[in-house]
Amino acid sequence: MALLVASAAPAEAQEPGSNYVRRLRLQAQLQTLNADLLSHDSATAVLQALCDRHMPDAARIHARRLEGRDEPAAANAAREELGAAANEPIRLRRVELACGETVLSRADNWYLPGHLTTEMNAALETTQTPFGVAVRALAFQRRTRLARLLFDPLPYGWEALAPAGLDEALCVPADVLQHRALLQTSDGRPFSLLVETYTAAVLIA
């Protein structure tokens, strides 16, 4: 996968109009990714398709565990969104999802282990299996609570502006998109709350 370079090349190295075209491409890629995530139940499947298109020789998407303690306020908010009782166990799994060595997203995942099988819980605790893959047998549904663009390649109302005014060099931030979503079983019971932050590597320069 061609990693997106955060800093633009010097202005003198750019062809006239090239930054405008780049902005259009990045806008289209970002909107397409956001739409794909909103229309699929598994974010892992969306990232796997992206990985397959741009790094066909890479291994399957894998989850790298990240260290870090859960904050009580965040855990309580997650418990409330999941509708879990005060004495019901809740766990946090914090990972990076990577295509080969390229990190595509980071995810904080609060989940209710009592809603999963023993095998699913073991996979989540001891392997690099992405959450959506580990619990696939639940035939879960994804309900997005928030989708937030962290990067706007083009300003609001850009379609009414002259292209020449949008040809300035572009600096892309490290993170470009964030989703907050619930996973629920087919009978509507939520068992996982996800906060996913997608990196600039999901965009192709």
Side-chain angles (χ1 to χ4, degrees):
M1 182 176 293
L3 284 175
L4 189 63
V5 180
S7 58
E12 61 270 22
Q14 301 287 343
E15 292 291 333
S18 61
N19 282 314
Y20 175 56
V21 172
R22 184 169 184 247
R23 288 174 184 270
L24 289 172
R25 293 185 65 219
L26 295 179
Q27 182 89 350
Q29 291 173 27
L30 191 56
Q31 290 179 343
T32 297
L33 174 62
N34 193 40
D36 283 347
L37 291 168
L38 290 172
S39 61
H40 288 76
D41 288 320
S42 172
T44 302
V46 173
L47 292 182
Q48 186 63 62
L50 183 70
C51 183
D52 291 342
R53 288 196 300 272
H54 301 291
M55 281 188 68
D57 296 328
R60 304 291 293 177
I61 293 284
H62 58 282
R64 300 172 181 167
R65 296 294 293 269
L66 298 175
E67 298 300 326
R69 294 183 178 180
D70 195 4
E71 295 293 334
N76 290 337
R79 182 181 296 280
E80 184 175 349
E81 281 195 68
L82 290 169
N87 61 348
E88 185 172 4
I90 186 171
R91 292 178 185 162
L92 170 64
R93 189 182 197 233
R94 181 170 287 152
V95 301
E96 294 176 333
L97 290 178
C99 173
E101 295 302 313
T102 302
V103 176
L104 302 181
S105 72
R106 301 183 307 278
D108 285 355
N109 180 3
W110 291 267
Y111 66 98
L112 305 177
H115 291 231
L116 311 183
T117 67
T118 301
E119 293 76 13
M120 291 174 185
N121 281 310
L124 293 173
E125 293 170 13
T126 63
T127 75
Q128 291 188 319
T129 305
F131 190 86
V133 175
V135 303
R136 183 164 44 198
L138 295 178
F140 61 85
Q141 298 171 329
R142 180 184 174 99
R143 295 291 178 262
T144 303
R145 306 293 294 270
L146 175 69
R148 184 163 65 103
L149 298 180
L150 305 179
F151 169 51
D152 290 310
L154 292 165
Y156 179 78
W158 66 270
E159 65 277 5
L161 302 176
L166 298 169
D167 200 32
E168 295 180 356
L170 182 66
C171 185
V172 182
D175 300 324
V176 297
L177 176 67
Q178 189 171 77
H179 274 214
R180 187 181 186 93
L182 288 174
L183 301 185
Q184 61 186 42
T185 54
S186 56
D187 60 0
R189 292 186 300 170
F191 64 90
S192 170
L193 171 66
L194 294 162
V195 178
E196 303 158 338
T197 303
Y198 296 86
T199 75
V202 299
L203 303 175
I204 310 304

